Amino acid sequence: MEIITTVAEMKDRVRAWKEEGLTIGLTPTMGALHEGHMSLMEAARKECDKVVASVFVNPLQFGPDEDYDNYPRDLERDAAIAESKGVDVVFHPSVEEMYPENYNTYVVMETLTDTLCGASRPGHFRGVCTVVNKLFNIVQPNKAFFGQKDAQQLAIIMRMVSDLNMNLEVIGCPIVREDDGLAKSSRNTYLSDEERTAALCLSRAIFKAQEMIEGGERDSATIAKAVTNTIEEEPLAKIDYVEVVNLGNMQPVETLPESGLVAIAVYIGSTRLIDNYLYNFE
């Protein structure tokens, strides 16, 4: 496995693979890899001849009061994990390599970015769309793999690929959870033992929503209230949002449409965690 740090070298490697007729799978990450990331790499390994995992903490998607400086970084550990999952290249550019002096081009999406994390974190998805667009152009993957835990992000990237006529397939992979239900997240490492136990209110709330929907409940307010009540039973939890939205446009709904999302963001202490339940009646 190689670690490549420059755009020029990554493009050269891609060019050589393309000349051989090989397919390329990309798993974009910010590092601090966990089993969720590993599942993406495993999926890419099964479906593509070559696999690239990017490890880049993207400053554009962090707000001024967020955790960019403290975000966990351990390239040696991440590279070992990637190699164990059959990754061919870890692409690990510097901020200056991705955003050189006088960089001035950004990708902005409307509507899908107006709610949920887009509302709570202004400018976040501008940063996400910009960096993912750049990664797609650099790596030129046939398929790109993203986790469904970041369901709004996944929907936005799928729409971007469709709207801009990009020549690749975006594949969403299921949420990976701890044995006790907590969704895997790089930010779980921020939690103290007490906060780690408190964080289980997220998965309890999501499982409650799933139970209600599978039981036939279709009123969004009723579902949201039950989810909210479950979270509020935990004293260390502070709700950022609880929303039931249409999967097609990420806008709130009164009655559940054929496909949709119950999405939550919750602070456990100072750590912001997200979780969701994605359903489809079709």
Side-chain angles (χ1 to χ4, degrees), residues 28-29 40 55 72 75-76 139 149 156 180 205 215 226 255 257 266 273 278:
T29 85
L40 306 182
V55 175
L75 180 62
E76 184 177 352
V139 179
K149 182 174 75 71
I156 286 167
D180 59 9
T255 302
V266 179
L273 301 175
L278 189 145

Side-chain angles (χ1 to χ4, degrees), residues 12-87:
D12 284 344
R13 188 68 72 255
V14 167
R15 188 177 302 111
W17 289 340
K18 296 281 187 179
E19 288 174 355
E20 294 180 50
L22 302 175
T23 59
I24 301 171
L26 172 65
T27 61
T29 85
M30 293 204 301
L33 301 181
H34 52 68
E35 287 86 346
H37 298 115
M38 294 180 209
S39 72
L40 306 182
M41 296 172 187
E42 290 169 352
R45 180 74 279 163
K46 289 177 183 177
E47 298 200 26
C48 301
D49 299 318
K50 296 292 182 180
V51 177
V52 177
S54 63
V55 175
F56 178 65
V57 184
N58 176 35
L60 293 190
Q61 65 193 71
F62 288 81
D65 298 320
E66 294 185 340
D67 57 342
Y68 173 72
D69 290 334
N70 296 324
Y71 198 86
R73 295 166 170 85
D74 188 342
L75 180 62
E76 184 177 352
R77 174 184 175 277
D78 290 342
I81 290 172
E83 186 169 25
S84 74
K85 295 302 174 183
V87 170

Side-chain angles (χ1 to χ4, degrees), residues 70-213:
N70 296 324
Y71 198 86
R73 295 166 170 85
D74 188 342
L75 180 62
E76 184 177 352
R77 174 184 175 277
D78 290 342
I81 290 172
E83 186 169 25
S84 74
K85 295 302 174 183
V87 170
D88 296 285
V89 169
V90 167
F91 180 48
H92 179 60
S94 66
V95 173
E96 294 75 21
E97 183 72 10
M98 290 294 278
Y99 306 115
E101 188 177 1
N102 298 322
Y103 186 88
N104 201 36
T105 302
Y106 304 91
V107 179
V108 177
M109 182 178 292
E110 299 177 350
T111 307
L112 273 74
T113 62
D114 293 343
T115 59
L116 307 181
C117 290
S120 297
R121 305 177 67 188
H124 171 68
F125 286 118
R126 172 179 180 264
V128 169
C129 288
T130 299
V131 75
V132 171
N133 197 315
K134 286 176 68 70
L135 289 171
F136 286 171
N137 287 331
I138 294 164
V139 179
Q140 299 176 42
N142 300 85
K143 297 181 180 182
F145 300 80
F146 294 84
Q148 290 179 354
K149 182 174 75 71
D150 298 296
Q152 184 179 22
Q153 172 180 276
L154 175 59
I156 286 167
I157 290 168
M158 286 181 165
R159 178 63 63 83
M160 180 179 74
V161 166
S162 175
D163 286 353
L164 299 183
N165 307 114
M166 295 180 175
N167 294 321
L168 73 145
E169 180 183 359
V170 176
I171 297 174
C173 298
I175 295 174
V176 177
R177 298 184 180 276
E178 303 280 2
D179 291 341
D180 59 9
L182 183 67
K184 297 276 188 178
S185 170
S186 299
R187 290 187 169 94
N188 290 348
T189 59
Y190 297 161
L191 301 170
S192 68
D193 290 345
E194 182 183 14
E195 289 170 340
R196 173 63 179 75
T197 299
L200 293 176
C201 69
L202 279 86
S203 53
R204 283 199 300 270
I206 286 299
F207 296 155
K208 178 65 176 177
Q210 180 177 356
E211 176 187 341
M212 294 175 70
I213 292 171

